[in-house]
Amino acid sequence: LNFDEFNVEHPEIILKLMEGIIYGTTTEGDTSIVGEGALPIVGRNIIVQKILPRLIHHLEHGWTYEVPCHLWIHPWLPLLMEVGRTQQQKEKQKHDDGDRYISGSDPVIHIKSLWRPVKQQLIRWYLTSWSSTGTTDSSDSLSFPSSKEALDVILPWVSLLPSTMLDDIVERGIMPTLSTSIIDRINVENVNGSIDLERELHLWHPTLGTVRL
């Protein structure tokens, strides 16, 4: 199996393999039984040395935006968390045995390495792909960015990314395209269209907040 060539955006097969190696997951009837895998140490090393770099590289250089990135990154988060948690436990064990303990160890350390490339690529998506697709005004045949599509992209990351990175995505990616779209729509739409626009803006309230709206 070549870990450098697996389909990053469709990770089901490789993900199931890694779960079996690390967790030893088996199925009896409709019940999944989780135990210690046959090669958990090897599996955790593969996650850190092969899988994680592939995810980051594909995010930065291979993602075409056709498949939202949370669909192929989120399935790996439990394994990345497991690897970080195991490393933390080992460091604590060394401390208990008299070795120096690195207090900065963090079970989400590997997940954190995804934060910056995710932020950068989401900003790029909002400035390029989102601005070029959307709903069409029936009277003028003008295309406007779809708020639903944009929210579907950011919402899966709201609980994962730090607030400072979310603010960066909003300020640098969402607001420029959204504000331009609002101005264009106000210029061409009638009163009923303005009401529809107001309803659409309310969709953004949980993400953007009252001040930005």
Side-chain angles (χ1 to χ4, degrees):
L1 179 62
N2 190 341
F3 289 98
D4 295 325
E5 296 182 359
F6 74 92
N7 190 331
V8 177
E9 296 187 9
H10 298 280
E12 295 81 7
I13 295 177
I14 189 71
L15 182 65
K16 185 175 182 179
L17 172 64
M18 296 310 303
E19 288 174 340
I21 292 175
I22 294 176
Y23 296 134
T25 304
T26 58
T27 302
E28 291 187 3
D30 296 330
T31 304
S32 294
I33 301 175
V34 179
E36 183 73 352
L39 298 168
I41 296 177
V42 173
R44 287 190 283 266
N45 285 337
I46 291 173
I47 292 292
V48 174
Q49 298 173 12
K50 296 292 186 178
I51 303 298
L52 183 58
R54 277 297 312 280
L55 293 178
I56 295 174
H57 183 272
H58 187 78
L59 188 61
E60 294 179 330
H61 304 288
W63 185 34
T64 62
Y65 307 128
E66 292 182 7
V67 179
C69 62
H70 69 274
L71 293 180
W72 47 271
I73 292 179
H74 283 201
W76 291 106
L77 298 184
L79 283 175
L80 291 169
M81 176 68 79
E82 167 64 20
V83 172
R85 185 184 300 114
T86 301
Q87 291 177 342
Q88 186 183 53
Q89 291 172 348
K90 287 183 178 180
E91 290 182 4
K92 288 182 177 180
Q93 183 61 49
K94 289 181 179 180
H95 175 67
D96 294 339
D97 294 339
D99 294 338
R100 186 171 69 90
Y101 173 57
I102 302 175
S103 58
S105 61
D106 187 344
V108 297
I109 184 171
H110 300 300
I111 295 177
K112 285 181 177 180
S113 66
L114 288 163
W115 285 352
R116 186 168 298 280
V118 164
K119 183 199 77 169
Q120 292 171 338
Q121 294 307 309
L122 290 184
I123 290 173
R124 193 173 78 172
W125 182 87
Y126 280 112
L127 293 176
T128 57
S129 295
W130 183 38
S131 63
S132 63
T133 61
T135 58
T136 301
D137 177 79
S138 58
S139 59
D140 292 85
S141 299
L142 295 175
S143 180
F144 303 106
S146 166
S147 290
K148 183 183 182 304
E149 180 185 14
L151 286 166
D152 287 344
V153 169
I154 189 64
L155 288 180
W157 296 101
V158 168
S159 62
L160 289 171
L161 295 177
S163 58
T164 54
M165 289 193 174
L166 288 172
D167 287 342
D168 215 16
I169 294 171
V170 169
E171 295 294 342
R172 295 172 54 196
I174 295 175
M175 291 302 290
T177 301
L178 184 61
S179 58
T180 300
S181 173
I182 291 172
I183 293 171
D184 291 342
R185 292 178 70 162
I186 290 175
N187 288 336
V188 301
E189 291 186 342
N190 55 27
V191 175
N192 291 332
S194 296
I195 293 174
D196 292 338
L197 176 58
E198 183 178 358
R199 291 172 180 167
E200 187 172 347
L201 286 175
H202 278 297
L203 296 174
W204 284 101
H205 187 270
T207 303
L208 302 182
T210 303
V211 173
R212 289 193 179 96
L213 284 177

